[in-house]
Amino acid sequence: MNTAGYWVLLITVIAVFIVIFFFFSRTLSKREKRKKEFYRRADRQRSLMLQYRDAGKQTLQAAPAADMIEGLASAVQAELADCAAPNDEFLKLPIWRQYAYAAYYLLSDSAVKLSAFFRNSGEPLVSTAVACVRNTGKTAFVRLIDLEYEMLDDNNENVSVDNAQLAQWDAAFAALDRDVLVDSIKQVVLASM
């Protein structure tokens, strides 16, 4: 191989190295971002849990609705984490704590789409969340939640899953003002204390 061939080979190797280095650094950067976001969320949940787990009704009334629900849910999660039978222990909790916990997961999953909550969750979480939302009296939310609950209930043999219909209901739910639901859930939790 002549000198020009070595230069071409050297330039090709350097170019491949630069491409690999660039790709690797981008991948590490994305991973680092995800890791920081995970820890940020975990720190937020821990802070909210410590702030609201033992709070009285007056403190909870003054709290921002989303923060209160997340803080109470984080406290319940911490209690249930080491239980041998978490569903049984969940059902022993006061109803207002059950509502806060179930509503948090409903709100979290429905941020993607409402049907995600029903597909990802089981009993007693699902029926508790549905009962909580029904108690808000917000008929637009209640109607869509009831429709999806009925369609995605594993024990309901009378309704078949229709993914096109679910997509329509998911879109309709996403179009509603989520803050109205969050504030109404807060009121249901407080009224249940």
Side-chain angles (χ1 to χ4, degrees), residues 90-116:
F90 173 78
L91 292 171
K92 293 177 186 175
L93 294 171
I95 193 67
W96 63 275
R97 295 188 73 211
Q98 291 180 33
Y99 281 166
Y101 183 76
Y104 173 74
Y105 285 99
L106 171 74
L107 294 167
S108 296
D109 287 350
S110 68
V112 176
K113 58 184 174 181
L114 178 58
S115 59

PDB file of all heavy atoms in Angstrom, residues 90-116:
ATOM      1  N   PHE A  90     -54.096  -2.071  51.829  1.00  0.00           N
ATOM      2  CA  PHE A  90     -54.699  -0.909  51.181  1.00  0.00           C
ATOM      3  C   PHE A  90     -56.158  -0.768  51.611  1.00  0.00           C
ATOM      4  O   PHE A  90     -56.616   0.328  51.934  1.00  0.00           O
ATOM      5  CB  PHE A  90     -54.589  -1.041  49.660  1.00  0.00           C
ATOM      6  CG  PHE A  90     -55.321   0.022  48.894  1.00  0.00           C
ATOM      7  CD1 PHE A  90     -54.780   1.287  48.752  1.00  0.00           C
ATOM      8  CD2 PHE A  90     -56.545  -0.250  48.304  1.00  0.00           C
ATOM      9  CE1 PHE A  90     -55.462   2.273  48.047  1.00  0.00           C
ATOM     10  CE2 PHE A  90     -57.228   0.724  47.591  1.00  0.00           C
ATOM     11  CZ  PHE A  90     -56.681   1.994  47.457  1.00  0.00           C
ATOM     12  N   LEU A  91     -56.876  -1.874  51.619  1.00  0.00           N
ATOM     13  CA  LEU A  91     -58.297  -1.845  51.975  1.00  0.00           C
ATOM     14  C   LEU A  91     -58.537  -1.524  53.451  1.00  0.00           C
ATOM     15  O   LEU A  91     -59.647  -1.145  53.825  1.00  0.00           O
ATOM     16  CB  LEU A  91     -58.964  -3.171  51.601  1.00  0.00           C
ATOM     17  CG  LEU A  91     -59.067  -3.418  50.096  1.00  0.00           C
ATOM     18  CD1 LEU A  91     -59.544  -4.832  49.810  1.00  0.00           C
ATOM     19  CD2 LEU A  91     -59.967  -2.381  49.432  1.00  0.00           C
ATOM     20  N   LYS A  92     -57.502  -1.645  54.273  1.00  0.00           N
ATOM     21  CA  LYS A  92     -57.620  -1.292  55.690  1.00  0.00           C
ATOM     22  C   LYS A  92     -57.401   0.200  55.943  1.00  0.00           C
ATOM     23  O   LYS A  92     -57.706   0.699  57.024  1.00  0.00           O
ATOM     24  CB  LYS A  92     -56.613  -2.094  56.523  1.00  0.00           C
ATOM     25  CG  LYS A  92     -56.906  -3.578  56.567  1.00  0.00           C
ATOM     26  CD  LYS A  92     -55.824  -4.302  57.344  1.00  0.00           C
ATOM     27  CE  LYS A  92     -56.020  -5.810  57.285  1.00  0.00           C
ATOM     28  NZ  LYS A  92     -54.904  -6.519  57.952  1.00  0.00           N
ATOM     29  N   LEU A  93     -56.877   0.896  54.948  1.00  0.00           N
ATOM     30  CA  LEU A  93     -56.619   2.331  55.095  1.00  0.00           C
ATOM     31  C   LEU A  93     -57.928   3.103  55.148  1.00  0.00           C
ATOM     32  O   LEU A  93     -58.941   2.667  54.587  1.00  0.00           O
ATOM     33  CB  LEU A  93     -55.800   2.849  53.908  1.00  0.00           C
ATOM     34  CG  LEU A  93     -54.384   2.333  53.748  1.00  0.00           C
ATOM     35  CD1 LEU A  93     -53.809   2.778  52.407  1.00  0.00           C
ATOM     36  CD2 LEU A  93     -53.507   2.825  54.888  1.00  0.00           C
ATOM     37  N   PRO A  94     -57.924   4.277  55.780  1.00  0.00           N
ATOM     38  CA  PRO A  94     -59.118   5.136  55.719  1.00  0.00           C
ATOM     39  C   PRO A  94     -59.427   5.466  54.247  1.00  0.00           C
ATOM     40  O   PRO A  94     -58.509   5.592  53.431  1.00  0.00           O
ATOM     41  CB  PRO A  94     -58.697   6.395  56.482  1.00  0.00           C
ATOM     42  CG  PRO A  94     -57.498   6.005  57.279  1.00  0.00           C
ATOM     43  CD  PRO A  94     -56.834   4.883  56.557  1.00  0.00           C
ATOM     44  N   ILE A  95     -60.699   5.633  53.939  1.00  0.00           N
ATOM     45  CA  ILE A  95     -61.114   5.822  52.553  1.00  0.00           C
ATOM     46  C   ILE A  95     -60.466   7.048  51.914  1.00  0.00           C
ATOM     47  O   ILE A  95     -60.130   7.023  50.731  1.00  0.00           O
ATOM     48  CB  ILE A  95     -62.664   5.857  52.424  1.00  0.00           C
ATOM     49  CG1 ILE A  95     -63.093   5.731  50.952  1.00  0.00           C
ATOM     50  CG2 ILE A  95     -63.231   7.117  53.042  1.00  0.00           C
ATOM     51  CD1 ILE A  95     -62.796   4.400  50.324  1.00  0.00           C
ATOM     52  N   TRP A  96     -60.240   8.104  52.678  1.00  0.00           N
ATOM     53  CA  TRP A  96     -59.636   9.302  52.087  1.00  0.00           C
ATOM     54  C   TRP A  96     -58.210   9.031  51.625  1.00  0.00           C
ATOM     55  O   TRP A  96     -57.783   9.563  50.607  1.00  0.00           O
ATOM     56  CB  TRP A  96     -59.695  10.490  53.044  1.00  0.00           C
ATOM     57  CG  TRP A  96     -58.927  10.355  54.329  1.00  0.00           C
ATOM     58  CD1 TRP A  96     -59.342   9.778  55.486  1.00  0.00           C
ATOM     59  CD2 TRP A  96     -57.594  10.822  54.578  1.00  0.00           C
ATOM     60  NE1 TRP A  96     -58.355   9.851  56.449  1.00  0.00           N
ATOM     61  CE2 TRP A  96     -57.282  10.497  55.916  1.00  0.00           C
ATOM     62  CE3 TRP A  96     -56.648  11.497  53.812  1.00  0.00           C
ATOM     63  CZ2 TRP A  96     -56.062  10.802  56.499  1.00  0.00           C
ATOM     64  CZ3 TRP A  96     -55.427  11.808  54.381  1.00  0.00           C
ATOM     65  CH2 TRP A  96     -55.134  11.461  55.719  1.00  0.00           C
ATOM     66  N   ARG A  97     -57.496   8.153  52.319  1.00  0.00           N
ATOM     67  CA  ARG A  97     -56.137   7.793  51.900  1.00  0.00           C
ATOM     68  C   ARG A  97     -56.183   6.861  50.693  1.00  0.00           C
ATOM     69  O   ARG A  97     -55.349   6.953  49.793  1.00  0.00           O
ATOM     70  CB  ARG A  97     -55.382   7.151  53.060  1.00  0.00           C
ATOM     71  CG  ARG A  97     -55.173   8.170  54.198  1.00  0.00           C
ATOM     72  CD  ARG A  97     -54.273   7.666  55.272  1.00  0.00           C
ATOM     73  NE  ARG A  97     -52.908   7.659  54.777  1.00  0.00           N
ATOM     74  CZ  ARG A  97     -51.986   6.773  55.172  1.00  0.00           C
ATOM     75  NH1 ARG A  97     -52.289   5.851  56.066  1.00  0.00           N
ATOM     76  NH2 ARG A  97     -50.773   6.826  54.695  1.00  0.00           N
ATOM     77  N   GLN A  98     -57.172   5.959  50.672  1.00  0.00           N
ATOM     78  CA  GLN A  98     -57.363   5.112  49.492  1.00  0.00           C
ATOM     79  C   GLN A  98     -57.653   5.972  48.268  1.00  0.00           C
ATOM     80  O   GLN A  98     -57.089   5.744  47.186  1.00  0.00           O
ATOM     81  CB  GLN A  98     -58.520   4.132  49.708  1.00  0.00           C
ATOM     82  CG  GLN A  98     -58.259   3.051  50.726  1.00  0.00           C
ATOM     83  CD  GLN A  98     -59.461   2.129  50.880  1.00  0.00           C
ATOM     84  OE1 GLN A  98     -60.198   1.876  49.935  1.00  0.00           O
ATOM     85  NE2 GLN A  98     -59.660   1.612  52.089  1.00  0.00           N
ATOM     86  N   TYR A  99     -58.533   6.948  48.426  1.00  0.00           N
ATOM     87  CA  TYR A  99     -58.873   7.833  47.307  1.00  0.00           C
ATOM     88  C   TYR A  99     -57.648   8.583  46.789  1.00  0.00           C
ATOM     89  O   TYR A  99     -57.428   8.673  45.582  1.00  0.00           O
ATOM     90  CB  TYR A  99     -59.948   8.836  47.724  1.00  0.00           C
ATOM     91  CG  TYR A  99     -61.356   8.313  47.763  1.00  0.00           C
ATOM     92  CD1 TYR A  99     -62.352   9.035  48.395  1.00  0.00           C
ATOM     93  CD2 TYR A  99     -61.713   7.107  47.172  1.00  0.00           C
ATOM     94  CE1 TYR A  99     -63.668   8.574  48.441  1.00  0.00           C
ATOM     95  CE2 TYR A  99     -63.019   6.637  47.210  1.00  0.00           C
ATOM     96  CZ  TYR A  99     -63.994   7.382  47.841  1.00  0.00           C
ATOM     97  OH  TYR A  99     -65.288   6.939  47.869  1.00  0.00           O
ATOM     98  N   ALA A 100     -56.859   9.137  47.690  1.00  0.00           N
ATOM     99  CA  ALA A 100     -55.678   9.901  47.267  1.00  0.00           C
ATOM    100  C   ALA A 100     -54.708   9.014  46.496  1.00  0.00           C
ATOM    101  O   ALA A 100     -54.184   9.401  45.445  1.00  0.00           O
ATOM    102  CB  ALA A 100     -54.986  10.524  48.482  1.00  0.00           C
ATOM    103  N   TYR A 101     -54.490   7.815  46.997  1.00  0.00           N
ATOM    104  CA  TYR A 101     -53.551   6.887  46.357  1.00  0.00           C
ATOM    105  C   TYR A 101     -54.055   6.461  44.976  1.00  0.00           C
ATOM    106  O   TYR A 101     -53.333   6.538  43.986  1.00  0.00           O
ATOM    107  CB  TYR A 101     -53.363   5.670  47.264  1.00  0.00           C
ATOM    108  CG  TYR A 101     -52.361   4.653  46.760  1.00  0.00           C
ATOM    109  CD1 TYR A 101     -50.994   4.905  46.854  1.00  0.00           C
ATOM    110  CD2 TYR A 101     -52.781   3.442  46.239  1.00  0.00           C
ATOM    111  CE1 TYR A 101     -50.072   3.965  46.424  1.00  0.00           C
ATOM    112  CE2 TYR A 101     -51.866   2.493  45.808  1.00  0.00           C
ATOM    113  CZ  TYR A 101     -50.518   2.763  45.901  1.00  0.00           C
ATOM    114  OH  TYR A 101     -49.602   1.833  45.467  1.00  0.00           O
ATOM    115  N   ALA A 102     -55.293   6.024  44.913  1.00  0.00           N
ATOM    116  CA  ALA A 102     -55.858   5.555  43.644  1.00  0.00           C
ATOM    117  C   ALA A 102     -55.966   6.694  42.634  1.00  0.00           C
ATOM    118  O   ALA A 102     -55.663   6.518  41.445  1.00  0.00           O
ATOM    119  CB  ALA A 102     -57.226   4.918  43.880  1.00  0.00           C
ATOM    120  N   ALA A 103     -56.366   7.864  43.107  1.00  0.00           N
ATOM    121  CA  ALA A 103     -56.500   9.016  42.209  1.00  0.00           C
ATOM    122  C   ALA A 103     -55.152   9.431  41.640  1.00  0.00           C
ATOM    123  O   ALA A 103     -55.057   9.819  40.474  1.00  0.00           O
ATOM    124  CB  ALA A 103     -57.145  10.180  42.943  1.00  0.00           C
ATOM    125  N   TYR A 104     -54.103   9.344  42.451  1.00  0.00           N
ATOM    126  CA  TYR A 104     -52.767   9.697  41.955  1.00  0.00           C
ATOM    127  C   TYR A 104     -52.399   8.830  40.749  1.00  0.00           C
ATOM    128  O   TYR A 104     -51.918   9.335  39.737  1.00  0.00           O
ATOM    129  CB  TYR A 104     -51.713   9.554  43.057  1.00  0.00           C
ATOM    130  CG  TYR A 104     -50.323   9.737  42.522  1.00  0.00           C
ATOM    131  CD1 TYR A 104     -49.853  10.995  42.183  1.00  0.00           C
ATOM    132  CD2 TYR A 104     -49.490   8.638  42.304  1.00  0.00           C
ATOM    133  CE1 TYR A 104     -48.593  11.177  41.651  1.00  0.00           C
ATOM    134  CE2 TYR A 104     -48.225   8.802  41.776  1.00  0.00           C
ATOM    135  CZ  TYR A 104     -47.779  10.073  41.448  1.00  0.00           C
ATOM    136  OH  TYR A 104     -46.525  10.240  40.899  1.00  0.00           O
ATOM    137  N   TYR A 105     -52.630   7.536  40.850  1.00  0.00           N
ATOM    138  CA  TYR A 105     -52.293   6.653  39.732  1.00  0.00           C
ATOM    139  C   TYR A 105     -53.212   6.865  38.543  1.00  0.00           C
ATOM    140  O   TYR A 105     -52.771   6.799  37.391  1.00  0.00           O
ATOM    141  CB  TYR A 105     -52.240   5.186  40.189  1.00  0.00           C
ATOM    142  CG  TYR A 105     -50.976   4.952  40.966  1.00  0.00           C
ATOM    143  CD1 TYR A 105     -50.976   4.955  42.359  1.00  0.00           C
ATOM    144  CD2 TYR A 105     -49.760   4.813  40.306  1.00  0.00           C
ATOM    145  CE1 TYR A 105     -49.802   4.807  43.062  1.00  0.00           C
ATOM    146  CE2 TYR A 105     -48.583   4.661  41.012  1.00  0.00           C
ATOM    147  CZ  TYR A 105     -48.606   4.654  42.391  1.00  0.00           C
ATOM    148  OH  TYR A 105     -47.437   4.528  43.089  1.00  0.00           O
ATOM    149  N   LEU A 106     -54.467   7.146  38.802  1.00  0.00           N
ATOM    150  CA  LEU A 106     -55.372   7.478  37.702  1.00  0.00           C
ATOM    151  C   LEU A 106     -54.881   8.729  36.983  1.00  0.00           C
ATOM    152  O   LEU A 106     -54.788   8.750  35.748  1.00  0.00           O
ATOM    153  CB  LEU A 106     -56.802   7.705  38.221  1.00  0.00           C
ATOM    154  CG  LEU A 106     -57.774   8.271  37.190  1.00  0.00           C
ATOM    155  CD1 LEU A 106     -58.162   7.209  36.176  1.00  0.00           C
ATOM    156  CD2 LEU A 106     -58.986   8.850  37.862  1.00  0.00           C
ATOM    157  N   LEU A 107     -54.539   9.751  37.723  1.00  0.00           N
ATOM    158  CA  LEU A 107     -54.074  11.004  37.121  1.00  0.00           C
ATOM    159  C   LEU A 107     -52.746  10.815  36.395  1.00  0.00           C
ATOM    160  O   LEU A 107     -52.545  11.352  35.307  1.00  0.00           O
ATOM    161  CB  LEU A 107     -53.955  12.091  38.191  1.00  0.00           C
ATOM    162  CG  LEU A 107     -55.274  12.537  38.826  1.00  0.00           C
ATOM    163  CD1 LEU A 107     -55.014  13.375  40.071  1.00  0.00           C
ATOM    164  CD2 LEU A 107     -56.129  13.289  37.814  1.00  0.00           C
ATOM    165  N   SER A 108     -51.842  10.047  36.979  1.00  0.00           N
ATOM    166  CA  SER A 108     -50.530   9.816  36.350  1.00  0.00           C
ATOM    167  C   SER A 108     -50.667   9.059  35.038  1.00  0.00           C
ATOM    168  O   SER A 108     -50.120   9.465  34.009  1.00  0.00           O
ATOM    169  CB  SER A 108     -49.618   9.030  37.286  1.00  0.00           C
ATOM    170  OG  SER A 108     -49.337   9.773  38.431  1.00  0.00           O
ATOM    171  N   ASP A 109     -51.392   7.948  35.074  1.00  0.00           N
ATOM    172  CA  ASP A 109     -51.533   7.136  33.861  1.00  0.00           C
ATOM    173  C   ASP A 109     -52.376   7.831  32.802  1.00  0.00           C
ATOM    174  O   ASP A 109     -52.094   7.726  31.618  1.00  0.00           O
ATOM    175  CB  ASP A 109     -52.150   5.776  34.185  1.00  0.00           C
ATOM    176  CG  ASP A 109     -51.186   4.848  34.912  1.00  0.00           C
ATOM    177  OD1 ASP A 109     -49.985   5.179  34.998  1.00  0.00           O
ATOM    178  OD2 ASP A 109     -51.633   3.792  35.393  1.00  0.00           O
ATOM    179  N   SER A 110     -53.410   8.554  33.225  1.00  0.00           N
ATOM    180  CA  SER A 110     -54.279   9.200  32.246  1.00  0.00           C
ATOM    181  C   SER A 110     -53.629  10.416  31.613  1.00  0.00           C
ATOM    182  O   SER A 110     -54.143  10.956  30.637  1.00  0.00           O
ATOM    183  CB  SER A 110     -55.624   9.576  32.869  1.00  0.00           C
ATOM    184  OG  SER A 110     -55.464  10.602  33.830  1.00  0.00           O
ATOM    185  N   ALA A 111     -52.482  10.846  32.138  1.00  0.00           N
ATOM    186  CA  ALA A 111     -51.733  11.919  31.477  1.00  0.00           C
ATOM    187  C   ALA A 111     -51.272  11.435  30.106  1.00  0.00           C
ATOM    188  O   ALA A 111     -51.127  12.228  29.173  1.00  0.00           O
ATOM    189  CB  ALA A 111     -50.549  12.360  32.320  1.00  0.00           C
ATOM    190  N   VAL A 112     -51.045  10.139  29.963  1.00  0.00           N
ATOM    191  CA  VAL A 112     -50.715   9.544  28.671  1.00  0.00           C
ATOM    192  C   VAL A 112     -52.015   9.273  27.932  1.00  0.00           C
ATOM    193  O   VAL A 112     -52.252   9.798  26.860  1.00  0.00           O
ATOM    194  CB  VAL A 112     -49.903   8.241  28.853  1.00  0.00           C
ATOM    195  CG1 VAL A 112     -49.637   7.576  27.524  1.00  0.00           C
ATOM    196  CG2 VAL A 112     -48.621   8.510  29.609  1.00  0.00           C
ATOM    197  N   LYS A 113     -52.847   8.445  28.514  1.00  0.00           N
ATOM    198  CA  LYS A 113     -54.211   8.206  28.026  1.00  0.00           C
ATOM    199  C   LYS A 113     -54.977   7.465  29.101  1.00  0.00           C
ATOM    200  O   LYS A 113     -54.412   6.669  29.847  1.00  0.00           O
ATOM    201  CB  LYS A 113     -54.231   7.472  26.692  1.00  0.00           C
ATOM    202  CG  LYS A 113     -53.549   6.144  26.648  1.00  0.00           C
ATOM    203  CD  LYS A 113     -53.565   5.589  25.233  1.00  0.00           C
ATOM    204  CE  LYS A 113     -52.760   4.319  25.152  1.00  0.00           C
ATOM    205  NZ  LYS A 113     -52.745   3.788  23.803  1.00  0.00           N
ATOM    206  N   LEU A 114     -56.252   7.743  29.172  1.00  0.00           N
ATOM    207  CA  LEU A 114     -57.088   7.182  30.223  1.00  0.00           C
ATOM    208  C   LEU A 114     -57.053   5.660  30.225  1.00  0.00           C
ATOM    209  O   LEU A 114     -56.950   5.032  31.280  1.00  0.00           O
ATOM    210  CB  LEU A 114     -58.529   7.677  30.073  1.00  0.00           C
ATOM    211  CG  LEU A 114     -59.549   7.143  31.071  1.00  0.00           C
ATOM    212  CD1 LEU A 114     -59.137   7.476  32.500  1.00  0.00           C
ATOM    213  CD2 LEU A 114     -60.930   7.689  30.759  1.00  0.00           C
ATOM    214  N   SER A 115     -57.107   5.056  29.067  1.00  0.00           N
ATOM    215  CA  SER A 115     -57.128   3.591  29.003  1.00  0.00           C
ATOM    216  C   SER A 115     -55.856   2.972  29.578  1.00  0.00           C
ATOM    217  O   SER A 115     -55.874   1.834  30.029  1.00  0.00           O
ATOM    218  CB  SER A 115     -57.355   3.110  27.569  1.00  0.00           C
ATOM    219  OG  SER A 115     -56.340   3.579  26.719  1.00  0.00           O
ATOM    220  N   ALA A 116     -54.759   3.727  29.613  1.00  0.00           N
ATOM    221  CA  ALA A 116     -53.514   3.211  30.199  1.00  0.00           C
ATOM    222  C   ALA A 116     -53.718   2.872  31.670  1.00  0.00           C
ATOM    223  O   ALA A 116     -53.187   1.876  32.160  1.00  0.00           O
ATOM    224  CB  ALA A 116     -52.385   4.222  30.033  1.00  0.00           C
TER     225      ALA A 116
END
